[in-house]
Amino acid sequence: MKTQSLLVTAIVASLTLNALQTPTHAQAAAAALDTRIVKLVDSVSEERLQQLLLKLVSFKTRNTCSDASAPDGVGAARQWIFDELKRSSARLQVSFDTYTVATVRGCTGPIELRNIMALLPGKSARRIYVSGHYDSVNLGPRGQQAGNSGGAAAAASAPTTRPGAAPQAPGEPASPDQPPAPRPVRDPNIVAPGANDDGSGTVLSMELARVFAESGIEFDATLVFMTVAGEEQGLVGAGAHAKKAKDENIQVQAWFNNDIVGGSRGGDGITDGATIRLYSEGPEDSPSRSLAMFAQRIAAQYVPSHRVRLMARRDRFSRGGDHSALNAHGFAAIGFRESRENYSKQHGPNDTIDGVDFRYLAQNARVNAAGMATLALAPPPPVVTGARGAPTLDRAPSGYDAHLRWTQSPGAAGYRVFWRNAWAPDWEHDVAVGNVTQYTFPHMNIDDWVFGVAAVDAAGHESTVSAYVSPPRTDGGA
């Protein structure tokens, strides 16, 4: 490819000033839709989601610590998921992603933990994941108060009692000098239907495996549809897979996590079937934040009736999800959550299928599908850092300009440059710059603006935006 320096002349500068008046979102909404993605999104079936969930909740429990040999327990449930994924399409490569874990919170002795993954091979090795956790838990009445999480946050917040202190009665508030009583050890084999937490995310991932495999589209990226174990014990299954991916240099480009995404009516009686929350770990312009903004932008194009509400935090207060395990190993991962939760129907026997709105769940599946399909067809995002991790952004040629450089992305036919005021949370402007690997904005102070660049293929599929941001200081210097 011919690499050229694009120095903006007065005429091009005038065009750039016009582009400043056009917001990114308006340009994105006006972009031509890929009819193949439209068909793929439309093929998500409410009926199949319901059929899958009816079967999944028929197992007495899917608790990771429960008896795996029981005919209605976690072992039988994961085998059914495995068999159903294989039955969905011959194009899917289905396997158990198995780990032996010596110590798992709430379990007795070593546990064999099995994630189930269905891989749809693409033209490249880079991977895009969608997941839900198939394990369930019944924590009893206290586990359903104030949205108490079974994930990583719950482990950190588990109360303890000081030696010699009087035991606290269940539900009794702690006195200032007496911590709450510890949770009793619970039987992992009691009923735990887990319809919404997280049967909803599990069947969403299973349905998308079918939809993508049957689409007939040849994706550039490899797609992985995963149902994860051990989330309620502290993100164990996702963490084990993330460590393996990092150790083996598996190219995890993006992870779409779905946990509690089926309920449209909250415990406060308010119904919202038209929005979904999307959480992403910072700091601003992190790969996860970029992925979240991308997912919102694509959803607005392909599922305009369903609004993605971006949340600039890792997850809900004192709660966790499997995407955080990926973040901890340096991967871009985001977490979808229903907009109105009903805490009384989580982590207990009341988490039944009547709390799931399948129209709402299908819409959330379509949002995931649109983002994944676009990302899997687009080139990988450009690299905008040098060998030492510094952004390839300078003030050349005048010393007062914004000069952007990036590395060519495989399969890119062109690039789109984004920019915004340094205080703004999302991109405000963009311009297509052609098939080049550098671009100059004259008289734009790089201290006052944030810049980014995305790769675009010949059909118009656009990658996530790679932002030019300085790495955090570690020496404490000025």
Side-chain angles (χ1 to χ4, degrees):
M1 184 196 82
K2 181 181 178 180
T3 301
Q4 65 185 68
S5 174
L6 195 57
L7 178 60
V8 182
T9 62
I11 295 176
V12 177
S14 176
L15 293 175
T16 301
L17 288 174
N18 289 334
L20 278 164
Q21 309 304 316
T22 307
T24 294
H25 290 171
Q27 291 185 353
L33 300 183
D34 186 326
T35 56
R36 299 173 301 167
I37 298 178
V38 171
K39 183 178 179 181
L40 182 150
V41 168
D42 289 345
S43 65
V44 171
S45 168
E46 292 179 36
E47 292 75 20
R48 187 165 186 268
L49 286 166
Q50 185 171 14
Q51 292 168 4
L52 291 172
L53 193 54
L54 279 168
K55 177 61 179 179
L56 190 63
V57 299
S58 71
F59 297 96
K60 178 182 176 182
T61 182
R62 305 187 304 277
N63 191 316
T64 300
C65 303
S66 64
D67 181 3
S69 65
D72 56 355
V74 64
R78 68 194 181 199
Q79 186 62 53
W80 171 76
I81 295 171
F82 180 97
D83 294 341
E84 184 63 29
L85 286 169
K86 284 189 70 70
R87 192 178 69 83
S88 297
S89 173
R91 295 184 66 198
L92 294 171
Q93 299 176 4
V94 184
S95 62
F96 284 118
D97 178 43
T98 304
Y99 306 89
T100 299
V101 184
T103 304
V104 176
R105 188 177 77 241
C107 300
T108 302
I111 290 292
E112 184 184 67
L113 185 146
R114 298 186 187 182
N115 303 320
I116 306 109
M117 54 189 291
L119 187 145
L120 183 64
K123 298 175 185 177
S124 70
R126 64 186 175 100
R127 291 185 178 186
I128 296 166
Y129 286 72
V130 62
S131 74
H133 71 85
Y134 72 86
D135 62 308
S136 63
V137 70
N138 182 347
L139 298 178
R142 290 185 64 193
Q144 299 167 39
Q145 295 175 3
N148 189 10
S149 172
S157 61
T160 58
T161 300
R162 295 177 302 171
Q168 178 189 353
E172 178 186 342
S175 65
D177 61 347
Q178 181 180 324
R183 292 178 182 169
V185 176
R186 293 181 173 87
D187 181 1
N189 297 294
I190 59 177
V191 172
N196 198 18
D197 183 16
D198 184 31
S200 60
T202 297
V203 301
L204 180 152
S205 300
M206 294 173 69
E207 170 64 353
L208 291 190
R210 177 195 68 83
V211 165
F212 275 77
E214 291 182 352
S215 70
I217 302 173
E218 293 295 328
F219 294 98
D220 183 72
T222 293
L223 290 147
V224 182
F225 309 88
M226 179 170 279
T227 63
V228 183
E231 192 273 349
E232 301 291 5
Q233 283 70 39
L235 320 182
V236 184
H241 187 81
K243 182 180 185 303
K244 175 183 176 182
K246 186 174 183 179
D247 291 346
E248 298 181 2
N249 294 316
I250 295 173
Q251 299 177 42
V252 180
Q253 180 184 344
W255 189 298
F256 293 68
N257 171 243
N258 293 267
D259 192 351
I260 313 180
V261 290
S264 61
R265 183 177 175 84
D268 57 3
I270 298 176
T271 297
D272 182 353
T275 75
I276 180 75
R277 293 178 293 176
L278 181 54
Y279 289 85
S280 57
E281 186 171 52
E284 60 180 320
D285 294 305
S286 69
S288 294
R289 290 278 168 87
S290 179
L291 179 59
M293 289 189 287
F294 171 90
Q296 182 196 51
R297 187 163 63 248
I298 298 302
Q301 296 178 44
Y302 287 95
V303 198
S305 61
H306 208 65
R307 184 167 64 92
V308 174
R309 298 165 53 208
L310 296 182
M311 301 290 160
R313 52 171 55 119
R314 177 187 300 172
D315 209 321
R316 301 144 297 172
F317 274 105
S318 300
R319 306 185 70 179
D322 283 325
H323 64 290
S324 294
L326 275 296
N327 294 153
H329 287 274
F331 298 115
I334 53 180
F336 288 93
R337 306 288 183 260
E338 65 194 24
S339 285
R340 293 287 175 178
E341 293 188 67
N342 186 340
Y343 305 133
S344 69
K345 295 182 76 67
Q346 296 174 11
H347 305 139
N350 293 333
D351 187 2
T352 49
I353 200 167
D354 61 294
V356 176
D357 176 345
F358 288 96
R359 180 187 176 281
Y360 179 68
L361 178 57
Q363 286 288 81
N364 293 332
R366 294 179 184 115
V367 166
N368 277 259
M372 292 172 61
T374 303
L375 206 57
L377 288 167
V383 176
V384 297
T385 55
R388 300 179 65 180
T392 49
L393 173 69
D394 58 53
R395 304 176 193 271
S398 74
Y400 295 90
D401 303 322
H403 177 225
L404 289 64
R405 292 175 290 120
W406 57 88
T407 302
Q408 180 182 359
S409 294
Y415 298 87
R416 184 174 293 276
V417 172
F418 295 75
W419 68 99
R420 68 175 191 266
N421 185 283
W423 187 252
D426 200 355
W427 302 111
E428 297 174 313
H429 318 285
D430 64 71
V431 61
V433 298
N435 196 6
V436 298
T437 55
Q438 50 186 309
Y439 191 83
T440 301
F441 289 98
H443 307 295
M444 286 188 73
N445 190 334
I446 62 176
D447 300 321
D448 299 346
W449 301 89
V450 180
F451 299 93
V453 61
V456 188
D457 72 1
H461 303 113
E462 193 172 285
S463 74
T464 52
V465 179
S466 299
Y468 292 85
V469 291
S470 297
R473 295 293 298 264
T474 58
D475 59 2

